[in-house]
Amino acid sequence: MSATKKPLHVTITGAGGQIGYQLIFRIASGQLLGPDQPVVLRLLEIEPAMKALQGTVMELDDCAFPLLSDIVTTTDANVAFKDCSWALLVGAFPRKQGMERKDLLQTNGKIFGPQGRAIAAHAAKDIRVCVVGNPANTNCMIARLSAPEVPPERFFAMTRLDENRAKAQLAKKAGVAVKDVTNMTIWGNHSATQFPDAWNARIGGKPAHQVIGDEAWLRETFIPTVQQRGAKVIEARGASSAGSAANALIDMVNSIRAKTPGDDWTSLAVPSRGEYGVPEGLQFGYPVRCDGNGGYKIVEGLKLDAFAQEKLKATAKELEEERDAVKQFLGA
Ligand code: NAX
């Protein structure tokens, strides 16, 4: 019964940005935590974006969402993460022209370290953290290592947009409905080194690469299309993916909350314990099955041929380089 459930607190960082705008209304309408779960939205922004955020809050009021118990807006991470069960870390410092990747990593390290500590200090016991702000995997690792009191398996970086993109491309090529494409893994980093795995994916239950029957297309068109999709959207729209990113984040949270159906899996970037030879501690995109109680297992034993192993190595190497660039932020 909606009237009797205790509200859950959901924190969105960068709430005044374009993904935030696509996300907030859907969460307030019940699409994140269900149609009978009241929510308190806790919206974190930096000072220059507070005015625009107040405009969004006016719009939220004007929706009269029955599930929206309260809205908190703040520039203080200690306030933002208070009692929070779901921390959606969307805000990040964008890459400016002429900025080196290392500078971007370090600038974001300064954001995600303190946010990790604020989560550890103030969040609810059942906290789950989903990181979208780029470079998402490494930002997530920084937040996780800054919050040693929180179990590491509560931290996820988002590869779901890449998973959805990959499924859509395979469905189009095979001429099937997107729901028929399952078991899609995005290995590694949410970056151009990611490896969307059409060889372990399935279409109508059969190996996707066999159904497609065109290895050259898979290697030379499918993989780069998924890797470069974000850049193509920017080229066309003049702005980065926002509707699809917010949608992917909602999908991701729903996948973490539910038991993964049948023998399917989903893609989540979780802390590596060395699975598939990936260096321990990296936040790495893996095939994952969730148990419906907030826990998950990485799917092990998938076949990776020499081509796939090379791809995994390359994306792991990039994540190691990112880790080296932010060494000073790793640890509470
Ligand atoms: P916007 O620039 O529209 O919004 C970001 C917001 O974050 C801004 O309002 C800014 O004021 C705020 N912000 C900056 N520093 C902050 C801080 N310290 N605390 C709180 N808020 C802060 O970007 P948007 O298009 O919404 O994208 C957000 C992030 O998602 C970017 O880093 C982007 O690269 C990343 N993406 C990640 C994706 C993924 O699949 N993992 C895909 C989509 C997206 O590109």
Side-chain angles (χ1 to χ4, degrees):
M1 286 287 290
S2 61
T4 56
K5 270 197 173 177
K6 227 177 116 212
L8 288 175
H9 293 238
V10 178
T11 302
I12 305 170
T13 74
Q18 48 151 7
I19 295 176
Y21 191 76
Q22 297 295 325
L23 194 57
I24 287 175
F25 298 94
R26 293 184 63 179
I27 296 177
S29 71
Q31 291 181 46
L32 190 81
L33 300 178
D36 62 350
Q37 176 59 61
V39 292
V40 174
L41 282 177
R42 310 188 75 89
L43 309 177
L44 180 69
E45 257 299 349
I46 51 174
E47 196 54 53
M50 281 311 263
K51 184 161 178 255
L53 184 59
Q54 292 314 330
T56 306
V57 169
M58 286 163 70
E59 283 201 73
L60 273 174
D61 286 343
D62 297 347
C63 291
F65 286 120
L67 289 172
L68 186 54
S69 298
D70 198 7
I71 309 166
V72 178
T73 60
T74 180
T75 56
D76 181 350
N78 294 310
V79 175
F81 294 112
K82 191 169 175 334
D83 301 329
C84 157
S85 291
W86 288 92
L88 310 180
L89 308 190
V90 178
F93 193 87
R95 191 168 189 165
K96 298 258 165 78
Q97 222 176 3
M99 198 174 181
E100 296 287 335
R101 191 169 170 79
K102 189 165 183 214
D103 296 335
L104 178 73
L105 283 157
Q106 296 209 343
T107 306
N108 278 301
K110 287 180 201 147
I111 296 175
F112 285 81
Q115 288 186 356
R117 287 194 288 285
I119 287 169
H122 302 290
K125 284 207 158 46
D126 63 351
I127 178 70
R128 297 286 184 290
V129 182
C130 299
V131 179
V132 174
N134 277 322
N137 298 53
T138 297
N139 288 341
C140 186
M141 180 180 65
I142 292 170
R144 163 167 60 83
L145 293 175
S146 303
E149 302 86 345
V150 179
E153 64 275 10
R154 305 289 189 84
F155 288 81
F156 306 86
M158 186 167 97
T159 48
R160 181 56 170 264
L161 179 52
D162 311 294
E163 175 185 336
N164 288 348
R165 286 167 170 167
K167 282 181 169 174
Q169 292 300 319
L170 289 184
K172 260 196 191 151
K173 177 75 177 172
V176 300
V178 87
K179 69 170 175 43
D180 295 335
V181 184
T182 60
N183 303 81
M184 175 54 69
T185 312
I186 303 296
W187 297 94
N189 203 1
H190 167 69
S191 77
T193 67
Q194 66 176 267
F195 174 47
D197 184 352
W199 290 265
N200 284 297
R202 294 176 205 160
I203 298 178
K206 300 192 186 105
H209 70 116
Q210 285 175 13
V211 174
I212 301 279
D214 185 344
E215 284 289 312
W217 180 83
L218 288 172
R219 288 183 186 210
E220 288 153 32
T221 303
F222 167 71
I223 293 175
T225 297
V226 177
Q227 289 172 332
Q228 304 295 337
R229 186 71 167 179
K232 288 283 180 208
V233 170
I234 294 175
E235 217 177 282
R237 226 171 72 81
S240 57
S241 311
S244 56
N247 179 68
L249 179 52
I250 288 171
D251 283 350
M252 173 188 179
V253 170
N254 280 313
S255 288
I256 296 169
R257 292 177 62 230
K259 186 172 183 327
T260 307
D263 61 356
D264 201 0
W265 61 69
T266 190
S267 297
L268 290 165
V270 297
S272 165
R273 294 202 190 110
E275 295 89 348
Y276 295 95
V278 173
E280 219 172 298
L282 295 180
Q283 198 79 27
F284 197 86
Y286 279 116
V288 169
R289 287 198 179 108
C290 301
D291 63 14
N293 297 309
Y296 68 82
K297 279 210 168 78
I298 291 173
V299 178
E300 296 202 64
L302 296 183
K303 268 205 187 146
L304 296 169
D305 64 11
F307 174 79
Q309 284 182 25
E310 273 312 302
K311 296 279 177 205
L312 251 72
K313 262 194 206 141
T315 194
K317 182 165 174 279
E318 183 183 51
L319 282 168
E320 283 186 295
E321 286 165 5
E322 290 188 10
R323 181 177 62 186
D324 292 346
V326 296
K327 262 202 263 21
Q328 72 269 39
F329 303 109
L330 303 180

